[in-house]
Amino acid sequence: MPSLRPIPDASPIAKWLIAAAACVGLLVPAAGQRAASLSKTAPPVPTLASIGQALLIQDYTVEQFRRFRDELGNVVTVRERLEVDANGTARPDFEITFLGVVGEPAGSALSVEWQQSYLRFGNLFFRHGSFQVRDLAKASVNYTLHDYGQVVRAGRMARRMVVFPASVDKAIWVVDIDSVTSVPLFIAEFDNSLQLRANIEALTFTPSVQAITPTQAAANVTPMTNYAGAEAFLGLPTGLVDPIVLVTPDYALERIEVHDDPINGRQKLVMSYSDGIDQYMVVQTMNSFDPFVGLPSAVGGTHTIGRFRDPALSALVFWDDQVTFHVAGRGSLRRLDEVASRIYLQALSN
């Protein structure tokens, strides 16, 4: 039986808020300093509703720094251009373009490595690596919004907000929201010990977009309305399961898609779960081979879950009946260990 791991204790919420308030003033260089004076007719304070609405209706083009941590914990700063063409849904068309690694000449080994990463995974950086209000009703239950006043970001007036989770195992977000469009111009993600994990900093912002070629490879993705429809579409394959994820009651099934891998021809069932802002995914790849064949089991048995975890990412992998399962989400969401264990038991009993 797959083993379960306890979730460590966390600081009380009240202490988090006090510490977050202290950290907010230390986050940002001169470009994000507070406004020197406030207009008597200051724009309204952003809400989760206004931020979510911007995703549905607002076109924009932004050049920005996106900061990642490498495997050694060092920060890599990449300059990118993001063009968003709203289409009335929570999944707007967009194009994300790699512009360079800050401090690296074009053509260097590191620059080429990141350029290739953007070609392969650039759509994920926007879809899953940015702050978005994906479902207003659930976000309103699972998060609270706290106002820290006006700032200037990318030469525009913005409002600094802290988005605070009701659960201790989720990210705390600090976001500068454009006062006119409600688009986030700065995003900082903290874990529950207030360690900064990632951020995005807008350098220029234009509230419009030219004609774009969407990054999302729509031809290889088929949306599904429910699990039964996806299962039938795939030909009722042996080994596929409808995941039972009772250990994350604050997350609900957000989207079901079938992905056709153009490289190996395999099909994947991708199920995304969201609490309104955060996400995790359960991916099932049919007609695959056991990735652990030939490897010694750490627990002396055949039922093995491989796990990778760093501050940014949790990824768990297991295999049964010609299906490889991937469960992936943010590193802070330790409940994914139990999600993976329960889905594995479900697959074994299928």
Side-chain angles (χ1 to χ4, degrees):
M1 174 177 176
S3 61
L4 306 179
R5 299 179 183 274
I7 299 172
D9 293 336
S11 302
I13 288 178
K15 291 183 180 179
W16 282 359
L17 279 172
I18 293 170
C23 288
V24 165
L26 303 177
L27 280 175
V28 190
Q33 290 177 348
R34 293 188 179 277
S37 62
L38 301 181
S39 168
K40 293 182 180 180
T41 58
V45 174
T47 64
L48 290 173
S50 67
I51 299 169
Q53 182 68 10
L55 185 66
L56 305 180
I57 65 172
Q58 182 61 55
D59 298 342
Y60 64 94
T61 302
V62 60
E63 287 197 13
Q64 58 192 16
F65 288 149
R66 187 182 296 267
R67 296 181 175 92
F68 304 85
R69 289 191 181 275
D70 63 18
E71 62 275 9
L72 300 177
N74 300 315
V75 175
V76 177
T77 301
V78 177
R79 187 168 182 141
E80 67 183 30
R81 180 172 59 253
L82 173 65
E83 300 165 273
V84 177
D85 189 355
N87 56 23
T89 77
R91 294 173 69 87
D93 295 326
F94 69 97
E95 185 172 2
I96 189 168
T97 305
F98 170 83
L99 299 178
V101 177
V102 175
E104 286 285 326
S108 72
L110 185 61
S111 182
V112 170
E113 178 184 348
W114 277 100
Q115 185 173 30
Q116 292 173 343
S117 294
Y118 268 71
L119 289 173
R120 294 182 61 193
F121 307 117
N123 64 315
L124 299 178
F125 295 158
F126 176 68
R127 292 288 191 216
H128 307 292
S130 299
F131 173 83
Q132 296 177 0
V133 177
R134 307 173 194 279
D135 182 291
L136 177 59
K138 292 197 70 65
S140 299
V141 170
N142 292 312
Y143 294 85
T144 55
L145 202 57
H146 305 269
D147 177 25
Y148 282 87
Q150 286 188 320
V151 297
V152 175
R153 173 64 60 191
R156 298 172 63 88
M157 193 67 70
R159 199 88 186 184
R160 177 156 300 159
M161 311 296 294
V162 173
V163 185
F164 200 84
S167 176
V168 300
D169 59 350
K170 299 179 185 179
I172 302 166
W173 302 89
V174 177
V175 291
D176 291 353
I177 303 298
D178 183 66
S179 293
V180 176
T181 65
S182 289
V183 171
L185 301 179
F186 175 82
I187 300 168
E189 178 187 349
F190 292 85
D191 65 15
N192 58 19
S193 61
L194 292 179
Q195 296 296 309
L196 180 63
R197 295 309 178 194
N199 72 18
I200 302 170
E201 178 187 351
L203 304 171
T204 66
F205 178 86
T206 304
S208 62
V209 67
Q210 302 296 320
I212 64 172
T213 302
T215 300
Q216 179 80 358
N220 297 323
V221 177
T222 305
M224 295 290 161
T225 56
N226 53 45
Y227 173 82
E231 188 179 37
F233 179 84
L234 291 167
L236 303 175
T238 302
L240 210 63
V241 302
D242 186 1
I244 298 174
V245 291
L246 298 180
V247 295
T248 55
D250 42 342
Y251 290 75
L253 182 61
E254 175 190 35
R255 181 170 293 270
I256 304 178
E257 297 171 334
V258 173
H259 291 220
D260 294 302
D261 192 324
I263 297 177
N264 56 29
R266 291 176 182 160
Q267 292 182 307
K268 300 178 181 180
L269 178 60
V270 180
M271 303 177 70
S272 301
Y273 299 81
S274 176
D275 67 351
I277 291 177
D278 190 32
Q279 287 180 307
Y280 70 85
M281 293 187 294
V282 178
V283 180
Q284 302 178 59
T285 305
M286 279 68 73
N287 301 314
S288 60
F289 300 100
D290 186 351
F292 302 118
V293 166
L295 297 178
S297 172
V299 294
T302 58
H303 300 153
T304 301
I305 298 177
R307 182 181 66 186
F308 169 83
R309 175 171 289 139
D310 66 13
L313 175 69
S314 287
L316 299 109
V317 181
F318 53 95
W319 181 90
D320 181 64
D321 206 3
Q322 311 305 312
V323 177
T324 298
F325 295 79
H326 292 78
V327 179
R330 282 186 163 76
S332 58
L333 192 60
R334 299 302 178 98
R335 282 179 287 168
L336 290 184
D337 284 8
E338 190 168 357
V339 170
S341 294
R342 293 197 178 198
I343 295 175
Y344 197 0
L345 291 173
Q346 185 183 351
L348 292 171
S349 64
N350 192 15

